[in-house]
Amino acid sequence: MSTAVAQKRGLGAVIWDYLTTVDHKKIAHLYLVAGGLFFLIGGLEAMIIRIQLMKPDNNFISAGLYNEMITMHGTTMIFLAAMPLIFALMNAVVPLQIGARDVAFPFLNSLGFWLFLFGGLMLNVSWFTGGAPDAGWTNYAPLSTISPGHGVDYYVMGLQISGAGTLIGGINFLVTIVNMRAPGMTYMRMPLFTWSTFVTSTLILFAFPALTVGLFLMMFDRMFGSAFFDVGLGGNAIIWEHLFWIFGHPEVYILILPLFGAFSDIFSTFSKKRLFGYSAMVFATVLIGFLGFMVWAHHMFTVGMGPIANSIFAVATMAIAVPTGIKIFNWLFTMWGGQIKMTSAMLWSVAFIPSFTIGGMTGVMLAAAAADYQYHDTYFVVGHFHYVIVGGVVFGLFASLHYWWPKMFGKVLNEKLGKLAFWPFFIGFHLTFFIQHFLGLMGMPRRYWVFQEGQGLATGNIISTAGAFLMALGTIIFLINVIYTSVKEKKVSGDPWGGRTLEWSIPSPPPHYNFVQTPLVRGLDPLWVEKMDGKEGMTPAEPLGDIHMPNASILPFTISLGLFIAGFGFIYQVDDPTWLIAVFAGMAITLGSMLTRSLKDDLGHHIHKEELEEDIKKGVGKS
Amino acid sequence: MADNTHSKPVHHREFEKKQHREEMKQQVLTFALMILFTLIAFGMVIMEVNSYFIIPTLIILAVVQVAFQLYYFMHMKNKGHDMVALMMYGGAAVALLTIITFTSIIWW
């Protein structure tokens, strides 16, 4: 069901279709739109922060509002922009790359999206109900437990709901990749993007429960009078930091690893070479995933854990530079001697290598525990993590969107506009964040809403703000490109790049059942193997037959809506017990929907052989 | 499905029957053992055995029961459960390492 067909139906029908869809390709669209929207909101918050820090003693926004801005910028960008955009890519690509017709649990896939969306909406509702969360995205106790108003309550409930969605999504992709690979696709024949999705999902599975526990403790402290983090009543405020970072450090690998996978696919496609050191790349991905769990306390060197703990965590952290280095060199060797085509996707990917490497090197500097006492909570840290997150994750998202846009929407994003968006963003990025390392070394602390005249910080800050405007310009050009492409550009074939992996063997956008016949995989880069044998498209692994597909359902939406309503009840029952009605009503909707799901048999539907033959006549089987 | 099983050759059916009987025997045996373990555990607590003895014994009994549950009742001993085992042991290893870190170097 392509967008062209969808446009012929009424708007109401299209909206209903998206509300109830369990199709991974449409869920990818939903993630893309919602994540993109939150990315713009987070970007707007970043601009406000940079305008406030434009000149000494600026009064653009008040101190309290500034705290809300930095908190919401961080929270939105990590949980509501980067994660869903990564899920958009995973949904759009992974089932196609492994030759599957859908994910393992289509219903859960949809549930994961709606939980994320309602959690994100809940967080942002706080702007209009008397103040957003203001304790930083890390929400350290006791600052967060004594923060007045309901801001932090929104943080707790919003992240709890969207976190559940992420956990569901992660489990779904694990099961999908373990169980639904096409015949012949062994683990060591999976494309790197699928591999990194697999490792990322494992990290989600093991890391998110720590956040869930932390948020529950925080919820009980703030709403039900417990004292887990209250030192005065025998609690321990440091426990929050540990729980948060046991989750938080794997989280940064959850963000970057899928893009590492995407870069690997992009480099090999546009260099017309197979990925250099495939098995080393897989090994490095798994190793980064494993080591990611053993380094959380490097965020807490100044807490006072003692020299032994600090040294062990410092060494463990530096060890991660080794597998990351393996990856950097393998990407360089993949390009070496290849027939490089500098498309926009490739441009973002090539720019990623030096940018991310700078972030990696400052990471090793920060990992040196003794030196960290100097850097801690300064702009040096801000510079570091923006180099890895923007230089790695955001560059990766732009590269992947350029690369997979034709697969998702059937049109190649305009190359000229793509490159035009890249340059201001790239220059602006380095302008904004490189200088921040030096501001940090000069002693500018992070999270302060003003700096003063005569501290020598004015020049650096105005340069940084100028860079931020260039990044905004780049983003706007990208958005113009999206609109321009959807209006002006022509449809392309299913394989516009000369692709190597299975997703390029089917039409763009793919039919709703993806593969008419499940393909037979005969090696790494399966489509390339067939092309080198002079064949057109994949060899089928099964005869043409009926295809079983899941039915659409509104229940994921209502389950999430119920939790959204109940969330407000939990937040406001502190002021007035009548709000408990919202808790009960919301939980009734959620549990009622779950009961309906359990009791009602929903066996899905079949697409019959005759319909498939009709589709093949129209040219669906070939790319 | 029913047709499929009948179309199998006789010796094959015999083999499957034997396997099922074997499986059944193992299930009943482990089930009996698990009940016995539970009785022993409760018995020791009721008879107020020395706690230096009772705590490690209870932990060992619990571990064995979990293993029975996973391997016999949830079929982890059968083929095709490699990934499940990898995930479980991986997760347990990470959790254990975290606990060791806490108890040995952070809050020692």
Side-chain angles (χ1 to χ4, degrees), chain A residues 371-423:
Chain A
D372 184 68
Y373 274 72
Q374 180 73 18
Y375 310 133
H376 189 86
D377 261 353
T378 68
Y379 259 76
F380 189 85
V381 178
V382 177
H384 157 71
F385 68 69
H386 280 95
Y387 257 81
V388 284
I389 294 184
V390 181
V393 180
V394 178
F395 280 26
L397 286 170
F398 278 124
S400 320
L401 284 177
H402 273 284
Y403 180 57
W404 280 307
W405 201 268
K407 192 42 66 187
M408 291 175 79
F409 299 103
K411 290 175 175 184
V412 176
L413 281 173
N414 185 283
E415 279 294 309
K416 269 192 191 137
L417 279 171
K419 283 169 188 165
L420 200 64
F422 167 79
W423 286 108

Side-chain angles (χ1 to χ4, degrees), chain A residues 243-267:
Chain A
L243 283 172
F244 186 85
W245 286 117
I246 286 175
F247 145 78
H249 201 79
E251 165 72 11
V252 303
Y253 294 112
I254 292 169
L255 292 178
I256 194 64
L257 282 179
L259 284 325
F260 278 0
F263 285 128
S264 306
D265 286 0
I266 292 170
F267 280 129

Side-chain angles (χ1 to χ4, degrees), chain A residues 415-561:
Chain A
E415 279 294 309
K416 269 192 191 137
L417 279 171
K419 283 169 188 165
L420 200 64
F422 167 79
W423 286 108
F425 196 98
F426 177 72
I427 295 167
F429 159 69
H430 284 285
L431 218 51
T432 311
F433 297 113
F434 196 74
I435 195 85
Q436 287 185 357
H437 295 107
F438 297 100
L439 286 172
L441 293 176
M442 287 154 75
M444 181 169 164
R446 70 191 273 209
R447 292 176 171 154
Y448 280 31
W449 76 296
V450 285
F451 58 94
Q452 265 137 36
E453 197 97 56
Q455 288 180 316
L457 302 174
T459 320
N461 273 300
I462 187 71
I463 292 173
S464 186
T465 301
F469 276 97
L470 277 178
M471 287 169 80
L473 178 68
T475 312
I476 291 167
I477 297 173
F478 183 82
L479 288 178
I480 293 171
N481 192 1
V482 169
I483 297 164
Y484 179 86
T485 302
S486 68
V487 179
K488 291 267 180 181
E489 291 287 331
K490 286 193 189 69
K491 288 250 172 198
V492 291
S493 76
D495 185 14
W497 309 122
R500 314 171 69 83
T501 40
L502 279 181
E503 76 265 33
W504 305 110
S505 70
I506 51 175
S508 304
H512 133 83
Y513 43 83
N514 295 351
F515 295 89
V516 181
Q517 288 159 292
T518 303
L520 180 70
V521 175
R522 297 197 299 139
L524 180 64
D525 293 343
L527 183 59
W528 195 252
V529 171
E530 302 295 329
K531 281 179 182 173
M532 288 302 100
D533 279 359
K535 289 193 189 134
E536 267 193 42
M538 301 297 301
T539 314
E542 59 174 14
L544 194 62
D546 291 359
I547 295 174
H548 179 248
M549 296 300 287
N551 281 337
S553 169
I554 190 69
L555 290 176
F557 180 83
T558 54
I559 291 175
S560 314
L561 180 69

